[in-house]
């Protein structure tokens, strides 16, 4: 078991050595950047309002989606009802204001193990975070004007 753990850690380190940083400018699509990203890549979203729903697929592992200058300057406004859907694992979402998610601001399915959501503002959403089970870490986030902060489905 110890050899397997060491092998997994070494593989992750090698993957990080080949990570790419992708920048998204205001007026461009975050989803386009996600679609071109690989495992362990970092997507830096520049200041602005992004009116779209984004989906991080199960095939992506270790992706970081981060605003360039924090949640006060970078907003994702849901277009269809869920601003961010995560099915990949070990995903890091950092530094966004997320608004108008009528269904949920962030939706995590049962494969989204190890997801971290940090330094985000959830304002005016249905449920701020909907997850199939508590499989994520949330820290340094602000929740306001949402109909629910967390909702779990343990089925």
């Amino acid at each position: 078991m110890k050899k397997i753990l060491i092998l997994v850690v070494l593989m992750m380190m090698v993957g990080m050595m080949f990570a790419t940083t992708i920048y998204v400018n205001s007026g461009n699509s975050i989803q386009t950047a996600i679609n071109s990203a690989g495992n362990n890549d970092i997507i830096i979203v520049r200041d602005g309002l992004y009116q779209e729903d984004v989906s991080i697929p199960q095939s992506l592992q270790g992706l970081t989606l981060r605003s360039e200058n924090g949640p006060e300057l970078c907003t994702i406004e849901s277009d269809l009802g869920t601003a961010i859907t995560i099915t990949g694992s070990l995903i890091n979402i950092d530094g966004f204001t997320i608004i108008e998610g009528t269904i949920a601001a962030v939706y995590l399915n049962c494969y989204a193990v190890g997801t971290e959501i940090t330094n985000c503002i959830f304002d005016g959403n249905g449920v701020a975070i909907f997850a199939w089970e508590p499989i994520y870490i949330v820290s340094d986030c602000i929740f306001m004007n949402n109909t629910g902060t967390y909702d779990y489905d343990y089925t």
Side-chain angles (χ1 to χ4, degrees):
M1 182 67 179
K2 187 176 181 181
K3 289 180 182 179
I4 293 173
L5 180 60
I6 291 170
L7 181 61
V8 168
V9 169
L10 287 173
M11 289 173 57
M12 289 176 60
M13 290 173 61
V14 168
M16 287 182 198
M17 290 177 11
F18 298 104
T20 302
T21 301
I22 302 167
Y23 290 90
V24 178
N25 295 313
S26 183
N28 291 331
S29 167
I30 296 170
Q31 187 64 53
T32 300
I34 291 169
N35 293 346
S36 66
N39 291 337
N40 302 307
D41 282 356
I42 300 167
I43 298 173
I44 306 292
V45 181
R46 298 224 161 102
D47 300 344
L49 172 64
Y50 296 84
Q51 295 175 300
E52 62 180 308
D53 291 337
V54 298
S55 180
I56 301 171
Q58 186 177 351
S59 60
L60 278 180
Q61 310 294 312
L63 180 77
T64 296
L65 180 63
R66 180 175 56 224
S67 69
E68 187 173 45
N69 294 304
E72 295 82 8
L73 300 174
C74 193
T75 300
I76 298 174
E77 179 180 358
S78 176
D79 191 23
L80 299 172
T82 301
I84 301 174
T85 300
I86 301 172
T87 55
S89 61
L90 303 172
I91 305 300
N92 183 354
I93 306 295
D94 181 24
F96 294 94
T97 294
I98 303 172
I99 62 173
E100 299 297 323
T102 54
I103 298 167
V106 176
Y107 173 88
L108 300 109
N109 83 351
C110 57
Y111 300 106
V113 176
T115 294
E116 294 186 32
I117 302 169
T118 56
N119 190 33
C120 288
I121 299 171
F122 295 90
D123 185 7
N125 298 287
V127 175
I129 300 172
F130 180 87
W132 284 101
E133 50 189 281
I135 51 178
Y136 59 90
I137 298 168
V138 176
S139 61
D140 299 322
C141 291
I142 297 170
F143 299 90
M144 54 192 182
N145 305 314
N146 303 293
T147 58
T149 301
Y150 304 107
D151 189 5
Y152 302 110
D153 183 348
Y154 294 105
T155 58

